[in-house]
Amino acid sequence: MTTTSLNRSSGTERVSRWVNDHRKWIFAAPAMIFTAILIGFPIGWTIYLSVTDAKGSVRAPADFIGIENYIDVLTDVDRFWPAVMRTGVFTFGALAVELVAGMAIALLLWRPFKAQKWVRVAILLPFVATPVAIAMMWRLIFDPNIGFANRVLSWVGVPPQPWFSEPATTLPTLMFVDIWEFTPMIAIILLAGLTSLSDEPDEAARIDGANAWQRFWYVTLPLLRPVVLVAVLLRSIDALKTFDLLYVVKGQGGGSFHEAETLNIYVYGLSFKYNDFGTASAVLIIFFLMILVVMWLLTFRRKGAKL
């Protein structure tokens, strides 16, 4: 065998060994590259638009204006900051109630009882329906003239309520609809976590004389903390993106007085009503950074904290 053949064989073996040692990355690389492009390109394009005066069309010529759009957005106390406040109130107000109600439902379904499977299916029904259909249904229920909600109130002598018609009641009513729809999601996640827990710590606490509340607070809840964190992360991200419910009920601008205008509704109006893509992109980047900060606070800052 010649020296050239030996070198070629040795080189082939080295390549084969390298491929074998790194096969998990080689096989995953196409999907990782595709995902990076799929995520990176929209973010990069949005960042580019946010530092230009793009208006009318994203294909129209646009001039570089630096951080001017960001300054305009951050100094907008009439629309941007109220939208930030409504987004926070809607997201974390609904999330807090959903977490408490979801935990209560999960605890009720934790222990076996008759017709448990049917009860689980019934609880899941609000979650499987599309948000647009649910928004239309509750819009009819809360209609001030023909709505079933005011009719029920009239039966008990309570005067009709404005629900979606008044700025003071619009956001709380929308939060109620969101709670009704997404509490089952929290309940199912927490129920899955509860069923995976061992019975031994609870039995030990019972033998030591702990009552039901003490066993839940000092035993069950600490063991369930990682699952609770996952539920909070998933639901908070989803709630921050809420658009369809708000748009179907209140339309563009979030109502006549912008009473339901969150950041998503605000960006939609900037983009598709005023065609101000530069400002809209700046709002999206700021919103994206806010979400990253919230996620960081929920994950890294709570690692050593007690619930």
Side-chain angles (χ1 to χ4, degrees):
M1 184 178 292
T2 64
T3 304
T4 304
S5 299
L6 289 172
N7 292 337
R8 186 179 302 168
S9 176
S10 177
T12 303
E13 289 178 1
R14 285 197 299 269
V15 172
S16 298
R17 284 196 300 269
W18 185 88
V19 170
N20 185 63
D21 293 339
H22 300 84
R23 60 187 182 276
K24 62 180 181 180
W25 297 109
I26 293 173
F27 286 116
M32 294 170 65
I33 294 171
F34 176 76
T35 303
I37 295 173
L38 193 66
I39 296 175
F41 176 76
I43 294 176
W45 183 251
T46 304
I47 293 173
Y48 163 74
L49 289 176
S50 70
V51 293
T52 66
D53 60 352
K55 290 185 179 180
S57 172
V58 292
R59 295 185 177 181
D63 296 326
F64 177 80
I65 58 174
I67 62 171
E68 185 176 325
N69 286 327
Y70 292 93
I71 295 173
D72 291 342
V73 169
L74 293 173
T75 55
D76 181 8
V77 295
D78 295 325
R79 297 286 293 276
F80 175 75
W81 287 111
V84 171
M85 183 192 68
R86 294 187 201 99
T87 303
V89 170
F90 178 86
T91 299
F92 298 107
L95 177 63
V97 178
E98 288 165 5
L99 189 60
V100 174
M103 179 65 76
I105 293 172
L107 290 172
L108 289 174
L109 297 178
W110 186 15
R111 303 303 180 187
F113 58 90
K114 267 190 175 182
Q116 185 183 48
K117 293 182 179 179
W118 294 105
V119 173
R120 290 184 179 183
V121 171
I123 288 175
L124 273 177
L125 287 178
F127 181 58
V128 299
T130 61
V132 172
I134 288 176
M136 292 298 297
M137 177 189 74
W138 283 104
R139 185 178 178 182
L140 290 174
I141 291 175
F142 285 126
D143 186 276
N145 299 315
I146 62 172
F148 183 70
N150 280 339
R151 182 173 299 180
V152 171
L153 292 180
S154 67
W155 294 344
V156 294
V158 178
Q161 301 299 313
W163 305 116
F164 294 131
S165 304
E166 291 291 334
T169 57
T170 295
L171 200 61
T173 309
L174 288 168
M175 290 168 60
F176 168 80
V177 177
D178 187 84
I179 291 166
W180 180 86
E181 180 180 5
F182 289 104
T183 295
M185 170 186 170
I186 301 290
I188 291 301
I189 295 174
L190 297 181
L191 180 60
L194 287 170
T195 53
S196 67
L197 296 180
S198 173
D199 292 333
E200 294 178 0
D202 186 76
E203 290 296 331
R206 189 192 301 270
I207 293 172
D208 289 340
N211 57 36
W213 171 253
Q214 290 172 333
R215 296 198 307 273
F216 167 73
W217 188 256
Y218 294 108
V219 179
T220 303
L221 193 57
L223 293 174
L224 200 64
R225 187 183 305 170
V227 181
V228 173
L229 182 59
V230 170
V232 170
L233 283 172
L234 292 176
R235 183 64 199 119
S236 58
I237 292 172
D238 194 41
L240 284 168
K241 299 185 300 181
T242 301
F243 173 81
D244 34 22
L245 168 64
L246 306 175
Y247 187 81
V248 169
V249 173
K250 297 303 295 183
Q252 190 168 273
S256 303
F257 300 96
H258 309 297
E259 61 269 20
E261 185 180 62
T262 60
L263 284 174
N264 293 297
I265 300 294
Y266 179 50
V267 169
Y268 180 86
L270 287 173
S271 301
F272 298 102
K273 182 178 180 180
Y274 301 107
N275 294 330
D276 190 352
F277 298 107
T279 305
S281 298
V283 175
L284 284 174
I285 296 300
I286 294 172
F287 190 25
F288 178 68
L289 293 176
M290 289 179 176
I291 293 175
L292 288 181
V293 170
V294 171
M295 296 304 103
W296 180 79
L297 291 174
L298 288 175
T299 53
F300 295 101
R301 298 291 292 178
R302 291 182 65 89
K303 277 188 175 179
K306 294 183 178 180
L307 288 174

